[in-house]
Amino acid sequence: MLDPPLRSRQLPSTVQLFVLGVALLALGATLRHGSFAKRQPAGTTRDSSVRHPVVLVGPLLGQTLQVNDARWLNPCSPWTPTWTTAWVNLDKFAAACALHSSHAQLGLTFDPTTNRTKSPEHVQVRVAEGWDGLTFFGIDVYGNLTQRLESEGFVRDVDILPMGYDWRLSVADWEQEAFPRFFRTISDAVSRNGQPVVLTGVSMAAPFTHAFLKWANAKRGGKSWVQKNVHAFVPVAGPFNGAVNALSALMGGVVFDFASPGQPGAAKFTCPLCVPPLAEQVSEEQFVMKVVDGFGAVLKELLMDWLVTDITRLLREFPSLYWMSPGVDDSIPDRSYVTLQHGPWAQPEEIKASGLPSLFRRLLMHDEAERMKYALSVGTTEDPGVPTHCIYSHNVRTFSHLTFPAGGVFADIGASVEIGDGDGTVHSESLSVCERWKSTVKVYKLPGVRHGFEVIVGQVHDVIVGVAKGDDAALDAWTSPAFVDLDVPRDGMTNATILDEWQANLVVALNEDA
């Protein structure tokens, strides 16, 4: 059974694929103005002379992308081409140029023979340089973590280093530019500081780093370089085997709005593990939810409704979204994440992860099938071979299985979603992949923290600082906190904590138990 705070009357809104982006947007004031209580973690030695440089790796979506559009006589091309923000730009014209199908500066074509992508002709896209790359809507993604590291004696651009990359691309693309740059960043940090580095980051930063380590072992430096230069790997909320959420967005659209019960487009929800069952919380046996705070809704508010369709089309061009869909875990049998219903009297058809390319072809999504096929070939479930301290959250309702009509698409009537354990975006089986690795030193679990919010939690900072300072005593003493003991920043603008909102659900559940 799933324990509180999952046991709440209200099913938390599931943010399709864009939970991290929305979380960072919602935390804007916190990241700018927030501060942590002066809590001295047990076992921490603040004056430790050991400081392993920390490389902060960017997540999916939460990195600023810039574009240089030199297309001739194109309305989106300035008279003098220059680098401007493409993701995310709140100027409506700039957003239309980046996202709209007729211009699509961020659009990509995929070559299945090389597994590499290409931008529109005369259009260049890059991640913003340095710390500017690790921002989202101008918000420093790792602002609170960086502040904590600085309070422990670390210094930006000396032993706290940013590693941004174009999150849209394929692993084959990253092997050409991002991975070699990552390699140089690590080598320079080790040379400058005389200590091997700690690699950390939230969400897709984890599999990205895993893929880099695999590349470095095989194609650059070898195992001896990795062992010499990497002290530890600290993934936070790592979707090492993707997320059913990402697959649902690819198949059903970015917004994936669910209508009211009985209306066309409604999707049904079940949650076998929920306590109390969903049937006891709502008037119908299956819960029907409308996404009201997803990233699509944000774009509707800030930009225009018609961009939502374009964003769905655009996302289906990004190889990283297929890479972040469920794949084949090399340590467990190939399992199903999708069920096709052929009719009320026919036997349901289970589609295993290895069969997802074929499923896209059956839906006449042939280009998507090629992207999915490549994604399955570059999985990140194998042991990375470096000391790993794995951090993730649990006990948040999360998409775990999809069912839809064999003759339709995911948003058609009859589609249903099974809710299971996870962090609200990534299902637990993917988050817990790291528990099976021999190189994993310890696993650190947080109760009830939504995906992307882990990077603001003090207990997460304790782990990263402990690893970076070689404080084994502090790491050994670390225990999973109770939900009410999570250390989250106070918002100076509202004088309310992020935990207040989370805790409301937990209190209701506890009152019900009493």
Side-chain angles (χ1 to χ4, degrees), residues 384-395:
V386 298
T388 300
H389 295 260
C390 188
I391 305 169
Y392 68 89
S393 176
H394 66 105
N395 207 23

Side-chain angles (χ1 to χ4, degrees), residues 67-74 76-78 81-82 121-124:
V67 63
N68 189 333
D69 191 338
R71 290 177 289 187
W72 180 248
L73 298 180
N74 188 292
C76 292
S77 304
T82 185
E121 191 172 5
H122 303 304
V123 173
Q124 295 174 289

Side-chain angles (χ1 to χ4, degrees), residues 241-293:
N241 196 32
V244 176
N245 237 358
L247 182 62
S248 73
L250 286 172
M251 303 188 73
V254 57
V255 182
F256 199 27
D257 281 338
F258 303 129
S260 300
Q263 293 185 3
K268 298 178 180 179
F269 281 72
T270 61
C271 186
L273 298 179
C274 289
V275 179
L278 285 180
E280 298 178 17
Q281 298 179 10
V282 295
S283 58
E284 299 200 359
E285 289 188 358
Q286 293 179 308
F287 189 86
V288 180
M289 178 184 69
K290 179 171 179 160
V291 177
V292 295
D293 64 349

Side-chain angles (χ1 to χ4, degrees), residues 447 482-489 496-504:
F483 180 73
V484 295
D485 293 329
L486 289 167
D487 181 13
V488 297
T497 64
I498 300 299
L499 187 57
D500 288 339
E501 182 178 345
W502 299 344
Q503 194 172 2

